[in-house]
Amino acid sequence: MAHGMRMDTHSGYLDGGGRDWRDAATRYALLPLRVFLGVTFIYAGIDKLTDSAFMSEAGSGSIGDMMRTVRDSSAIPELVDLSLKNPVGFAYAIAFGELAVGIGTLIGLFARLAAFGGAMISLSLWLTVSWPSDPYYYGNDLPYLMAWLPLVLAGASVLSIDSMLRSRRRQRAGAY
């Protein structure tokens, strides 16, 4: 009895489009990072907005006291001075910025722009608040900055509003 060779191909389990699991894993590789950063920044924004002590110009746990404490040890004291002109306004700007970045990242709407915003928030916090951490890797803002960079470069390729909008644009372009 002769044995024949199988000529059929196996389609991927995850996308059904003939790609293997490695291709699907590559496409979904940044999704856990997107979810983590999105949820974390949404939580950070809500946490700030609901903390009356933080949203104060002075007092224990206030943004004003924190900024005055880190002023002389920051890499760019001028950034801290700028925030000290209106500490409560700065606190609201950071909180709403974190919310916008978190929501945009989580749902994948203007994902590269949201990731860039997250990177800028993390960079400014690293250069001001966590700059004096010694050794440098004890500060948490630098790893957040590095975590944002792949999303700045790649955006949100799957399970995102951006990808849905790209797909619609391609369909419309193909219809003409």
Side-chain angles (χ1 to χ4, degrees), residues 40-123:
T40 300
F41 268 57
I42 289 170
Y43 178 79
I46 290 171
D47 190 43
K48 286 175 181 66
L49 289 171
T50 58
D51 185 351
S52 59
F54 181 79
M55 291 293 186
S56 300
E57 195 165 322
S60 179
S62 70
I63 182 70
D65 279 1
M66 180 178 70
M67 298 313 282
R68 281 186 284 280
T69 300
V70 303
R71 194 236 177 252
D72 293 331
S73 61
S74 73
I76 306 175
E78 294 79 16
L79 278 177
V80 179
D81 291 340
L82 185 63
S83 72
L84 284 171
K85 291 182 185 214
N86 184 355
V88 175
F90 176 72
Y92 277 106
I94 289 291
F96 284 120
E98 287 173 338
L99 272 174
V101 162
I103 291 167
T105 300
L106 191 61
I107 66 173
L109 180 62
F110 303 115
R112 284 190 171 109
L113 180 61
F116 182 75
M120 291 300 97
I121 290 171
S122 297
L123 176 63

Side-chain angles (χ1 to χ4, degrees), residues 10-22 24:
H10 174 67
S11 66
Y13 290 112
L14 297 177
D15 66 351
R19 296 180 171 174
D20 66 2
W21 66 272
R22 287 182 201 99

Side-chain angles (χ1 to χ4, degrees), residues 27-28 34 104 106-111 154-173:
R27 284 195 354 256
Y28 287 86
R34 252 183 61 210
L106 191 61
I107 66 173
L109 180 62
F110 303 115
S157 61
V158 294
L159 301 177
S160 69
I161 294 175
D162 287 348
S163 66
M164 181 185 70
L165 293 173
R166 272 191 309 272
S167 176
R168 283 189 181 172
R169 280 192 300 268
R170 274 190 232 120
Q171 287 175 349
R172 286 184 186 155

